[in-house]
Each structure stands twice: as C-alpha cells, then as structure tokens.
Amino acid sequence: MQFDVERTTVLGRPALTVRGELDIATAPRLAEAFESQLSQQPQSLVVDLTDTTFLDSSGARELARIARRAADDGVSLEVV
C-alpha cells in the first residue's frame, strides 16, 4: 500500500492528511512532516486520518508523541 502525508488545510487550519498504512515503516515520515509543520509555529493543527487504511502500534505511538509535543508547544491538536 502506498503511503503519503500531505500538507493541507481544514477550515483554514493547517493540516496533515495521512493516506495509506501508518506503521513502523511510515511513522517516521509522519514525524518528519509534523516537525516541519511545527516549525511554522501554528496555533492549531489537524491530523486527518480519514484515508488511513491501517494503523499499528508504531503509528499509534507516533500520534501520542505528536499529541504530547503539540501540547508542550501550546498547539491545539485535532485528530480526525
């Protein structure tokens, strides 16, 4: 399955749209996209998993890390 993380917007808010399988092989790509987005110092961020077809424990762990990092940086995070 192909994997992609695209920078998009949702209702004017910066977003990362994840497509495909989020697992041990692809979680680092989500982490990289998140760090890049965070460097823009957004007030809020959406992670859209609507088109995610599989999520293993590595993907879930990365989402938890992202949530902690966003909270530490004062970024409102919404996972869809």
Side-chain angles (χ1 to χ4, degrees), residues 39-74:
S39 72
Q40 303 298 312
Q41 299 179 330
Q43 292 181 346
S44 64
L45 179 65
V46 175
V47 177
D48 184 355
L49 300 177
T50 304
D51 294 326
T52 301
T53 57
F54 177 79
L55 175 68
D56 76 356
S57 61
S58 298
R61 186 172 33 255
E62 186 56 39
L63 289 171
R65 187 197 71 77
I66 286 171
R68 283 190 306 273
R69 178 72 192 277
D72 289 347
D73 286 10

Side-chain angles (χ1 to χ4, degrees), residues 14-18 22 30 34 45-50 63 66 77-80:
L16 296 174
T17 299
V18 180
L22 181 53
L30 175 58
F34 172 75
L45 179 65
V46 175
V47 177
D48 184 355
L49 300 177
T50 304
L63 289 171
I66 286 171
L77 180 71
E78 182 177 349
V79 178
V80 179

